[in-house]
Each structure stands twice: as structure tokens, then as C-alpha cells.
């Protein structure tokens, strides 16, 4: 549970870590990800309580040391952290912006992600609701899971791009080419293994994407993200043939939506 609080006139956030949950669903997702070689989509352990607090505090420290705009930890207690305010919800900003404003916000976020990756950083869940905007800078929050527990750095960075693409795709349902162009430009700066992982991953998911186009809104957003990231990483890489037709059955899509 996360709630805004005020300390000496300053806005801050109290984050309390409940019990770990979703073990069964995460186990299933992990199985599917392994079975179909979707390594960058393997879910990291979802711990609760003090273990989650420790992971988040450690990750925030690492990211801050890498020069990333994350909130400072200003207090801590049993299964709880107090964090500096990092700005408004990026999601709310996206919702309120017009097309041009949205493009500026998304470009700024892509820049921030690309620069962070160049410094060796990774995020895990850079969805719009886990990003902040203070009017000038994009910031990042929510680090209680650590993808490096189950994958390497290039995979974690590829996962970041897929997550981000998934998160913003719903704002580009009318203008997917625009998002695709921005994504391609951003991924140009990524290192070759990251582009290759993103490409292989999205290649394997392509048919799922096509199938899900007929389905609900968030499935369509995921589908767009997959197509966009895939398009953005085409250069020089042969598409891995999708060997996972079974994976494309409707029911499995819910598993992917665990990431949201
Ligand atoms: N340091 C912060 N600065 C600004 N907003 C925050 C901060 N921490 C949390 N929030 C707000 O609270 C929400 C939930 O926090 P988050 O850390 O993402 O927890 P959860 O694990 O529940 O997703 C965020 O989407 C954001 O709107
Ligand atoms: Mg969150």
C-alpha cells in the first residue's frame, strides 16, 4: 500500500509492503516463459514484507548511484519505506496531454530510459504508472522486484523496452506509426544484444499479437507494443519463427497481463 504523507510541510510517500502473493500465477508464468524461451519475460520473485522493502531500498540506492532520477529513501521501518516525492504520475500527464504533448512526454521518457541503460541501469517495470514527471524530468519508481535475479542485464533492458512500449501503446491506438518511429529511434541507441533480445522476444510473440488484436483494450495495447518493438529492432536480425502456436490460445493472454 502506498499513500502520500506530509513531513515538515514536504510531500512524501509511505510505502508499506504486504505479504508476497500470486505465487501460483507467477510460477505458471515462469513455466510458460521458460517453455517458450521468452527469457526476458520471466517474472522475478515477488516477495512481501521486509524482503520487498530491502530489495526496493537496495535498487533505489543502486539507481541513484548510477545518476538515475529516483526518489531518495527518507525513512524506513518494519516492512515500510518513506520516499521523497518524485513528481506527478506520468500516467496522469499522458492522459491529460494532447497528441503533441504526449509525443514530448514519451520522447522524454524514452530518452531517460536510453540514457539510464547506457549507464548500465535497468528498471523492471517502466510502465507509465511507475514513472513520474515534474515538469522537466522523467523519474522512476517501484522497485520491489529485481529482474536480475532471473535474467541478465541485456534481457532486463530488452524487457524494459517491451514494458514501456506496452504501457504507452494504448495512447497510440490511433497513431501507432508515430510510436513505432519514436521507438525505433530510441532503440537505435540500445546495444546490439538488447536489440536482439527484444527482437527475438517480440518475434516469438507476434502471432499472439495478431490473435489478440481482436480482443480487449489492454490486449490490443500489448499487441501494439509487440509489433512496435519488433519493428524497431528488425535491422540485421532474422526473425525467429514462432514455434509457440499453443501459447497463443486466449487463456494465456491473462498470464501476460500479470505484468501490468
Ligand atoms: N516517490 C514517489 N513520488 C511520486 N509518486 C509516487 C512515489 N511513490 C509512489 N508514488 C505513487 O504511488 C503509486 C504506487 O506506488 P508504487 O511504488 O508504484 O507501488 P506499487 O508497488 O503499489 O505499484 C505510483 O503509481 C505513484 O502514483
Ligand atoms: Mg507501481
Amino acid at each position: 500500500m502506498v499513500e502520500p504523507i506530509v513531513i515538515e510541510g514536504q510531500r512524501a510517500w509511505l510505502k508499506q509492503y504486504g505479504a508476497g502473493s500470486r505465487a501460483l500465477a507467477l510460477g505458471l508464468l515462469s513455466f510458460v516463459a521458460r517453455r517458450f524461451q521468452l527469457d526476458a519475460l520471466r517474472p522475478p520473485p515477488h516477495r512481501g514484507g521486509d524482503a520487498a522493502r530491502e530489495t526496493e531500498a537496495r535498487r533505489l540506492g543502486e539507481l541513484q548511484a548510477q545518476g538515475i532520477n529516483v526518489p531518495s529513501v527518507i525513512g524506513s521501518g518494519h516492512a515500510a519505506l518513506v520516499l521523497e516525492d518524485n513528481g506527478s504520475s506520468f500516467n496522469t500527464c499522458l492522459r491529460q496531454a494532447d497528441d503533441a504533448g504526449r509525443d514530448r512526454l514519451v520522447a522524454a521518457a524514452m530518452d531517460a530510459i536510453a540514457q539510464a541503460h547506457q549507464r548500465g541501469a535497468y528498471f523492471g517495470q517502466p510502465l507509465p504508472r511507475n514513472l513520474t514527471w515534474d515538469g522537466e524530468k522523467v523519474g522512476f519508481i517501484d522497485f520491489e522486484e529485481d529482474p536480475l535475479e532471473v535474467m541478465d542485464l541485456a534481457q532486463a533492458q530488452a524487457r524494459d523496452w517491451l514494458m514501456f512500449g506496452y504501457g504507452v501503446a494504448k495512447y497510440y491506438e490511433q497513431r501507432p506509426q508515430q510510436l513505432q518511429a519514436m521507438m525505433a529511434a530510441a532503440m537505435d541507441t540500445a546495444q546490439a544484444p538488447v536489440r536482439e533480445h527484444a527482437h527475438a522476444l517480440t518475434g516469438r510473440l507476434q502471432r499472439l499479437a495478431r490473435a489478440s488484436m481482436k480482443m480487449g483494450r489492454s490486449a490490443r495495447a500489448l499487441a501494439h507494443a509487440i509489433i512496435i518493438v519488433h519493428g524497431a529492432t528488425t535491422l540485421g536480425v532474422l526473425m525467429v519463427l514462432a514455434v509457440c502456436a499453443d501459447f497463443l490460445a486466449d487463456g494465456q493472454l491473462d498470464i501476460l497481463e500479470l505484468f501490468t
Side-chain angles (χ1 to χ4, degrees):
M1 194 185 73
V2 186
E3 57 185 316
I5 57 174
V6 175
I7 302 177
E8 293 179 354
Q10 295 289 316
R11 188 175 165 85
W13 293 83
L14 173 63
K15 183 160 181 175
Q16 292 174 289
Y17 303 88
S21 62
R22 310 194 300 193
L24 191 65
L26 291 179
L28 190 59
L29 177 55
S30 192
F31 171 79
V32 170
R34 272 173 211 267
R35 167 74 179 74
F36 297 105
Q37 296 175 283
L38 304 168
D39 291 328
L41 291 186
R42 284 174 61 192
H46 183 79
R47 302 198 183 85
D50 249 11
R53 174 187 63 91
E54 274 166 27
T55 302
E56 179 131 33
R58 170 177 60 79
R59 292 281 294 124
L60 285 168
E62 290 167 2
L63 287 158
Q64 204 153 47
Q66 287 167 314
I68 316 301
N69 182 22
V70 293
S72 297
V73 176
I74 53 180
S76 107
H78 178 71
L81 286 181
V82 181
L83 304 174
E84 242 179 6
D85 183 51
N86 221 29
S88 314
S89 158
F90 193 80
N91 212 16
T92 308
C93 295
L94 277 181
R95 247 196 321 265
Q96 291 170 350
D98 59 12
D99 282 354
R102 229 167 250 165
D103 290 353
R104 279 195 298 274
L105 286 167
V106 168
M110 287 174 168
D111 253 16
I113 293 171
Q115 278 181 32
H117 283 183
Q118 272 160 22
R119 293 178 197 165
Y122 61 98
F123 299 105
Q125 299 231 354
L127 298 161
R129 63 182 156 77
N130 294 329
L131 268 54
T132 56
W133 176 248
D134 64 7
E136 284 174 18
K137 291 191 308 294
V138 175
F140 299 87
I141 55 173
D142 202 356
F143 298 103
E144 65 206 72
E145 293 173 3
D146 185 350
L148 281 209
E149 289 184 45
V150 293
M151 67 188 72
D152 65 27
L153 179 62
Q155 287 169 334
Q157 293 183 341
R159 170 198 176 94
D160 283 348
W161 286 119
L162 190 74
M163 290 280 172
F164 181 76
Y166 172 41
V168 296
K170 62 174 168 289
Y171 296 103
Y172 284 85
E173 282 191 352
Q174 308 306 319
R175 301 187 303 138
Q177 305 85 346
Q178 173 63 19
L179 182 55
Q180 161 113 37
M182 288 196 289
M183 193 66 110
M187 294 207 63
D188 251 6
T189 68
Q191 296 190 332
V194 177
R195 288 201 305 268
E196 280 157 23
H197 278 306
H199 188 79
L201 179 66
T202 51
R204 289 182 182 120
L205 290 169
Q206 282 263 299
R207 286 195 52 202
L208 167 68
R210 295 207 186 96
S212 71
M213 278 298 185
K214 302 187 197 88
M215 296 153 68
R217 185 181 167 79
S218 100
R220 274 205 309 283
L222 173 63
H224 278 151
I226 290 163
I227 285 167
I228 283 159
V229 176
H230 190 81
T233 57
T234 307
L235 213 70
V237 189
L238 279 175
M239 185 177 145
V240 178
L241 280 176
V243 288
C244 51
D246 296 346
F247 178 63
L248 310 174
D250 297 12
Q252 311 274 10
L253 198 64
D254 297 331
I255 294 169
L256 280 162
E257 287 182 325
L258 278 176
F259 285 112
T260 63

